[in-house]
Amino acid sequence: MGSHSSHTFPEQLPVPTTPAGRDGLAALLADPGRAVVALDFDGTIAPIVPDPDSARAHPEAVPVLSRLAPLLRAVVIVTGRPAGTAARYGGFAGAPGLERLVVLGAYGAERWDAATGETRTPPPHPGVEAVRAELPGLLEKAGAPQGVRTEDKGRALAVHTRRAADPQGAFELLRESLADLAGRHGLAVEPGRLVLELRPPGMDKGMALSEFLRETGAASVLYGGDDLGDLAAYDAVDRLRGEGVPGVLLCSGSDEVTALAERADLVVDGPAGVVGLLGALADALGA
């Protein structure tokens, strides 16, 4: 474990509230060339919007990452979205400074590399096909209220209740029948912020992040997220800290998901706060 000595940080940087977080930030600042910054997409660098298809990265995200990424070992986006979609909605392709950026999509099952612009995807899980066919009928039978919509992610299907008159009520109403449907076809249900996602089991953000950090030989990591799906990545960073790899847990401050904020070393105010922190980091490292 790292020493919990008193670190001094550049004044523009917010200071983590935990000793482990302060050790993580100190390690990143001391050796940025071996540090990885890993970020969720929706709610972390892209504001949450009622229609997932209109989500775009915060306007300052790419300019800030373009300054920060060349100073680090790597920047990786870890998302439940298809990798190519996140790359497109993020505006990452061809952005100067982001040549080494990687998007791990579908919870790590897919990978988009900025260097080549290519996406690698495994063959689809047969259960997803079956669920795709049955889902409309099931929603009708379950009495899904108006405003509930389905998002086809290719390797997964998500049911969003954010636009229903009673979003939380609709979420609770559908939860059990969607879990039954997923179970019948060998899929898992991942709950999120007013969304239930049916996807193949066995891949989560923690596994995706751990593999990427091993592959890049990272000596420290900062992970930023905002939703329940990010808890697996938080767990991975905690495990690594136990093995002597310092890390920082960043929460894109949402009062919707307190489970994350309670475990974070640093809570900022949504995507604007995340972008502000990344900018301060770029300033500190470039100074």
Side-chain angles (χ1 to χ4, degrees), residues 24-275:
L25 185 57
L28 190 156
L29 291 167
D31 192 0
R34 293 177 65 209
V36 168
V37 166
L39 303 161
D40 166 48
F41 187 73
D42 293 280
T44 301
I45 58 168
I48 293 277
V49 290
D51 175 11
D53 294 333
S54 59
R56 295 295 180 269
H58 185 282
E60 286 303 305
V62 166
V64 160
L65 287 172
S66 292
R67 287 198 295 130
L68 180 61
L71 307 171
L72 303 171
R73 175 63 56 94
V75 170
V76 60
I77 306 298
V78 190
T79 175
R81 284 187 184 270
T85 303
R88 206 164 55 246
Y89 290 1
F92 304 133
L98 296 189
E99 294 81 9
R100 296 203 312 277
L101 180 126
V102 171
V103 178
L104 299 176
Y107 299 90
E110 301 183 354
R111 178 178 177 138
W112 178 89
D113 282 89
T116 60
E118 285 169 12
T119 305
R120 295 208 301 273
T121 58
H125 185 288
V128 176
E129 264 326 291
V131 165
R132 185 178 285 122
E134 288 180 38
L135 191 56
L138 178 130
L139 290 174
E140 197 177 337
K141 196 171 149 199
Q146 201 177 348
V148 169
R149 60 177 296 276
T150 303
E151 179 190 6
D152 195 327
K153 296 185 172 190
R155 290 186 47 82
L157 295 143
V159 177
H160 295 265
T161 65
R162 190 170 287 276
R163 292 170 124 178
D166 173 9
Q168 193 61 43
F171 180 91
E172 298 304 339
L173 172 75
L174 298 172
R175 196 171 185 154
E176 204 170 310
S177 45
L178 289 175
D180 289 346
L181 175 66
R184 284 205 308 277
H185 297 293
L187 301 182
V189 175
E190 175 85 40
R193 289 162 75 174
L194 302 176
V195 57
L196 292 154
E197 183 162 317
L198 293 76
R199 64 183 178 87
M203 203 53 179
D204 63 37
K205 289 186 178 187
M207 291 161 68
L209 179 63
S210 300
E211 279 176 26
F212 185 80
L213 296 175
R214 266 199 301 276
E215 172 198 320
T216 51
S220 67
V221 58
L222 179 149
Y223 182 84
D226 75 308
D227 203 351
L228 297 171
D230 296 304
L231 286 172
Y234 271 32
D235 292 341
V237 173
D238 272 339
R239 271 196 305 277
L240 286 163
R241 296 203 281 206
E243 293 161 16
V245 178
V248 182
L249 297 173
L250 170 69
C251 175
S252 175
S254 154
D255 42 17
E256 284 184 35
V257 184
T258 51
L260 229 57
E262 284 160 11
R263 283 186 58 185
D265 304 307
L266 200 52
V267 180
V268 295
D269 190 13
V274 172
V275 167

